[in-house]
Amino acid sequence: MSSEESLDLPLLSLESGYKVEHYLLKLTCHLEQKTFSGEVYVFVKSTCPESVLILDLKDLFIDKVEEVDCSDGEILTFLSSFEERKNFEQFGYWTSKKARRVLNSNLESWCVKITSLEKRETLVCLHYRTKPEGSSVSWILDDDGANSCCLTTGSLINNRSLMPSQDAPALMATWQLLLQVPNDFSATTTGDETGLVTDAGTYFFTSMLLPISTFALGIGKWKCTDIPMSVECVVPDDRLIECRHPHYPCPFAQIDVVGPRISCRVFHSDSFDPSILKDYISSSIETIYRILGRHVVPKLDFIIVPQSVACLGFASPGLILISPTILFGQTPMLARLGHEISHSWFGINIGPKNWNEEWISEGFATFMEDVVDLKMSKFAHRNELMALKAINRYEILKSDCQNVDPSLQRMSAFDPELNVVINGLNRDKTVSQIPYLKGYFFLIQLVNIVGLDPLLMALKCFVEHFHGCLVTTAECVEFFCLRFQQKEEIRHHAQMWLYSSLLPKLNNDLFATNRLDAEVAEHFEYWKRRPKQNPPSFTFPQSTPDQVLALLDRLLVLESKLLSKNVCRFMDHYKPHLMNADVYHRACELIVAQRCTPLLHLVQQFLLQHPAMGAYLYGELVHSDRSEFHAVAMETYRQLENKLDVNLKSIISDLIF
């Protein structure tokens, strides 16, 4: 099968005879045309006698490729200094060099191959343009509907339709960017600082060696709100921690005198009120800091993205995209903020050596999401609530495993050295939560073996040991085996949750004394009997959304059908459509599964308000034997079609056509 037809993502730059050490980007954003144009300069070093430079890309125009004339030793001198790599004057020096020669290049579907390079260290400039259809970038209207914005929201092809680059986990580099945007528009990126405004554009840089897939940007006509960090004084951490990663200016190699304080801003449209975020973001950053230790990024920017963007949350170094969907309702899903912030440690500072092992990023962040919420909570039954969340997550995992190809259910890479990402282009990856949840449950099993606090202490040591490194599943498992005495149990659970494509059973004894789950069971028995008396209520407001979620999961697998009037009574009693988007979504599943036509308007309302979460519901509606259900799917999609970002539009259209 050719790479055009394959579901595997090719990593052709691994076959290159040159490695990119540093990128200089000069880009102009054309919002009306939905394109970028400019140049990328790549500082490269020869790695073998092969004289071909290979850069990964997709859907780009390459206008010209040049080799910039540099004196002997000049490039090595520049690359040896990380201070030089972030210097704006140096950026201007290299990009203004006039002496150049045109190179031969061959543009292929997934890469560009550049030949006739003569030096072992050299600087190559590619003049290029993006295409509007490139899936690396979303071009959409903000939620006020008045202004366009541009976002890198996470794509199966990473940043390949934004820039030519070497897009593989191990090919890490630094970068500098000069970005021109339309007047009155602002930009933020994954750079180390907030951006230097110059006559030629806004200048950004990073000093951290990272895969280029972690680069992200956002451009829009937004308001910017600072988030104050009101935290207690922290005793400075004066330890200098050993670095095992390639050299760069590392916070672990310095005394930590800042503590949890970090520059933090929210970019949002005029109609959005950021006050809902302020306290939770500040508190969760402090909580994660106290668990995992020093910050690994120097700033955190949040962008509240339009609802029509495919992601609920997307974390890059120092830049986090948040969907308004997670902030919806009377009990919004604020814990998801903890998930995205945790990615600074798990996924960014420590990443998977093979992208097929994404549980190393997502499993740890999902686990931290619940831990951060637990540590911040004053709820008396918070440990039981964490266990109930695990029960709910298992139901999601069970459903995913029934609907996703088994090849996507094994968390460890078959061949870590393979030059492709197996199933990297499979759209099921964009909706499946299996890497999140299998990784999460492996860590939950560790909690059951060693206890929560000992595991959290181990996670801090894990971060200090592996910071700045790419790791494998085997290295993660071995770390915990060396840390704890229960080696055989740890290896057993790693085999069950990470190395197998099967779904292990959840040990119900773990939740046998859970009062919150017992209440769910009582409510389930009530609704199963189709009663006429008044329904019961849950005892604790803090746990009610998770309990209603658990109740909905049990009703969804009920073999007998509820009467339509009882579904209406259920909705009127618990009001799940007002709680948060997670509970609302599950209630919509119940409405569709029970063919409750009187409540179909709530499903359509959900799809219109929260399109990023609607993909599964579209599939259920179009496969219903009720014509009115199918009609709702088609009518809603037509209303949203021109507003959806390119990735979400593609996912939904694949489901309904």
Side-chain angles (χ1 to χ4, degrees):
M1 183 180 287
S2 71
S3 60
E4 277 294 328
E5 301 165 333
S6 173
L7 292 177
D8 299 338
L9 177 67
L11 305 175
L12 298 175
S13 56
L14 289 175
E15 303 167 10
S16 175
Y18 285 84
K19 179 187 178 295
V20 178
E21 300 290 335
H22 185 69
Y23 297 86
L24 303 177
L25 286 150
K26 285 184 71 175
L27 294 179
T28 300
C29 175
H30 312 283
L31 272 170
E32 291 187 4
Q33 291 78 32
K34 299 181 179 180
T35 62
F36 286 90
S37 64
E39 303 100 46
V40 58
Y41 294 77
V42 292
F43 290 83
V44 299
K45 287 183 180 180
S46 174
T47 57
C48 66
E50 175 61 54
S51 61
V52 178
L53 167 62
I54 301 176
L55 301 175
D56 300 301
L57 53 72
K58 187 67 176 171
D59 295 324
L60 294 177
F61 295 110
I62 303 294
D63 297 317
K64 185 168 57 172
V65 181
E66 302 168 315
E67 185 172 27
V68 180
D69 185 41
C70 303
S71 60
D72 291 343
E74 191 177 20
I75 287 177
L76 285 179
T77 301
F78 170 74
L79 292 176
S80 66
S81 170
F82 282 87
E83 283 300 314
E84 295 288 282
R85 293 196 198 193
K86 66 182 186 181
N87 186 285
F88 181 58
E89 286 71 26
Q90 282 290 313
F91 181 95
Y93 169 76
W94 293 106
T95 56
S96 63
K97 277 180 169 282
K98 302 297 183 186
R100 306 176 180 206
R101 70 182 183 94
V102 176
L103 296 173
N104 296 324
S105 63
N106 180 27
L107 180 62
E108 300 179 2
S109 178
W110 283 103
C111 71
V112 59
K113 295 181 178 177
I114 301 164
T115 57
S116 65
L117 292 171
E118 297 175 351
K119 298 181 179 179
R120 294 190 61 80
E121 295 89 26
T122 191
L123 177 59
V124 176
C125 174
L126 295 91
H127 301 256
Y128 76 98
R129 293 166 288 139
T130 68
K131 298 180 181 180
E133 63 269 24
S135 61
S136 299
V137 182
S138 294
W139 306 90
I140 43 179
L141 290 175
D142 63 23
D143 279 341
D144 293 339
N147 301 300
S148 298
C149 58
C150 161
L151 300 157
T152 49
T153 56
S155 165
L156 292 175
I157 64 167
N158 297 326
N159 287 315
R160 297 186 187 196
S161 66
L162 174 62
M163 70 177 91
S165 65
Q166 291 191 331
D167 185 30
L171 301 180
M172 298 189 286
T174 49
W175 55 261
Q176 293 166 278
L177 165 68
L178 186 63
L179 179 62
Q180 284 189 324
V181 300
N183 291 337
D184 300 325
F185 281 75
S186 57
T188 183
T189 75
T190 47
D192 287 5
E193 296 179 1
T194 55
L196 171 68
V197 178
T198 74
D199 292 339
T202 308
Y203 172 71
F204 303 91
F205 68 88
T206 184
S207 300
M208 193 177 187
L209 285 173
L210 288 168
I212 202 65
S213 59
T214 63
F215 175 83
L217 58 76
I219 299 167
K221 196 172 280 190
W222 295 310
K223 286 185 174 179
C224 178
T225 301
D226 290 324
I227 296 181
M229 296 291 294
S230 53
V231 297
E232 299 174 6
C233 293
V234 176
V235 177
D237 183 353
D238 60 1
R239 296 174 302 147
L240 301 180
I241 297 165
E242 180 186 357
C243 296
R244 294 171 174 82
H245 54 75
H247 174 68
Y248 64 82
C250 177
F252 287 88
Q254 306 163 35
I255 295 173
D256 177 22
V257 296
V258 177
R261 293 182 185 277
I262 189 172
S263 171
C264 203
R265 305 179 298 173
V266 178
F267 291 84
H268 55 91
S269 61
D270 285 343
S271 59
F272 179 80
D273 179 7
S275 60
I276 188 174
L277 294 169
K278 286 186 175 181
D279 289 343
Y280 198 93
I281 286 178
S282 175
S283 298
S284 58
I285 288 174
E286 181 182 3
T287 301
I288 297 170
Y289 174 88
R290 293 182 185 278
I291 295 170
L292 299 178
R294 59 190 68 184
H295 288 296
V296 291
V297 293
K299 57 95 175 166
L300 266 182
D301 286 341
F302 295 80
I303 300 177
I304 308 302
V305 302
Q307 288 178 327
S308 51
V309 168
C311 67
L312 291 179
F314 182 66
S316 302
L319 178 61
I320 295 176
L321 308 185
I322 296 295
S323 170
T325 287
I326 75 167
L327 308 174
F328 165 81
Q330 297 166 346
T331 54
M333 303 183 298
L334 291 174
R336 297 287 180 95
L337 295 170
H339 177 113
E340 301 304 336
I341 295 168
S342 296
H343 273 310
S344 291
W345 287 264
F346 299 115
I348 292 169
N349 193 246
I350 302 170
K353 193 172 288 185
N354 184 301
W355 282 333
N356 286 113
E357 299 188 326
E358 60 186 306
W359 80 269
I360 293 170
S361 170
E362 298 299 351
F364 279 92
T366 303
F367 176 74
M368 287 300 299
E369 174 182 332
D370 283 1
V371 168
V372 171
D373 212 37
L374 174 82
K375 293 293 184 182
M376 289 169 56
S377 173
K378 296 179 181 176
F379 180 40
H381 300 277
R382 56 187 177 275
N383 289 313
E384 291 171 90
L385 180 57
M386 187 173 176
L388 181 65
K389 288 176 184 287
I391 295 171
N392 291 345
R393 292 189 193 281
Y394 188 76
E395 291 303 316
I396 297 170
L397 178 59
K398 198 159 60 173
S399 174
D400 257 18
C401 288
Q402 291 168 356
N403 294 294
V404 173
D405 189 281
S407 65
L408 295 174
Q409 298 184 32
R410 189 177 189 269
M411 297 299 97
S412 59
F414 290 97
D415 182 357
E417 304 303 320
L418 213 57
N419 285 6
V420 297
V421 181
I422 302 295
N423 277 307
L425 299 175
N426 191 329
R427 289 204 179 277
D428 283 349
K429 288 175 72 74
T430 62
V431 293
S432 170
Q433 294 190 50
I434 291 176
Y436 297 68
L437 298 179
K438 279 200 163 183
Y440 164 84
F441 277 109
F442 170 65
L443 294 169
I444 286 291
Q445 297 302 329
L446 294 190
V447 171
N448 296 325
I449 294 169
V450 305
L452 178 59
D453 288 336
L455 180 60
L456 295 183
M457 290 175 64
L459 288 185
K460 184 172 184 177
C461 294
F462 181 92
V463 168
E464 292 179 352
H465 182 81
F466 287 118
H467 74 271
C469 297
L470 302 174
V471 297
T472 64
T473 295
E475 288 173 313
C476 292
V477 174
E478 189 58 26
F479 175 88
F480 293 117
C481 287
L482 292 173
R483 180 81 185 179
F484 299 111
Q485 294 179 347
Q486 301 92 330
K487 295 177 176 57
E488 292 308 312
E489 285 184 80
I490 292 171
R491 290 196 175 103
H492 169 74
H493 285 294
Q495 186 63 43
M496 298 290 287
W497 292 98
L498 306 177
Y499 288 100
S500 171
S501 59
L502 301 176
L503 175 64
K505 288 186 177 179
L506 198 61
N507 185 354
N508 289 329
D509 292 343
L510 302 172
F511 314 113
T513 58
N514 190 317
R515 173 178 176 174
L516 306 181
D517 187 50
E519 277 195 351
V520 173
E522 292 171 10
H523 283 236
F524 176 65
E525 290 301 320
Y526 169 88
W527 291 102
K528 197 167 69 170
R529 293 195 304 267
R530 301 182 182 180
K532 295 180 181 178
Q533 67 268 34
N534 291 334
S537 297
F538 288 113
T539 306
F540 307 107
Q542 300 97 317
S543 59
T544 293
D546 291 283
Q547 289 177 292
V548 172
L549 198 64
L551 177 57
L552 285 162
D553 280 333
R554 297 183 191 191
L555 291 173
L556 280 165
V557 296
L558 192 65
E559 291 185 3
S560 58
K561 294 291 180 184
L562 298 172
L563 294 174
S564 206
K565 65 179 182 181
N566 278 332
V567 178
C568 293
R569 285 182 65 221
F570 179 96
M571 296 293 291
D572 187 57
H573 177 62
Y574 297 106
K575 295 181 171 50
H577 57 296
L578 302 179
M579 288 181 173
N580 61 47
D582 245 353
V583 184
Y584 190 176
H585 181 274
R586 203 76 97 255
C588 289
E589 289 183 52
L590 183 70
I591 292 168
V592 176
Q594 296 288 338
R595 299 172 181 165
C596 184
T597 306
L599 295 178
L600 200 50
H601 67 282
L602 288 177
V603 179
Q604 184 170 32
Q605 177 181 293
F606 180 89
L607 293 175
L608 290 170
Q609 288 181 343
H610 312 291
M613 287 186 73
Y616 177 81
L617 286 174
Y618 276 106
E620 294 298 295
L621 288 167
V622 296
H623 289 105
S624 171
D625 57 5
R626 298 282 181 94
S627 59
E628 58 266 49
F629 283 56
H630 189 273
V632 163
M634 301 304 295
E635 179 189 337
T636 307
Y637 176 72
R638 290 193 182 100
Q639 286 187 49
L640 291 173
E641 185 176 7
N642 294 327
K643 300 177 182 177
L644 300 175
D645 89 324
V646 61
N647 294 309
L648 184 55
K649 184 176 180 179
S650 180
I651 293 168
I652 296 174
S653 62
D654 284 351
L655 286 167
I656 65 178
F657 293 117

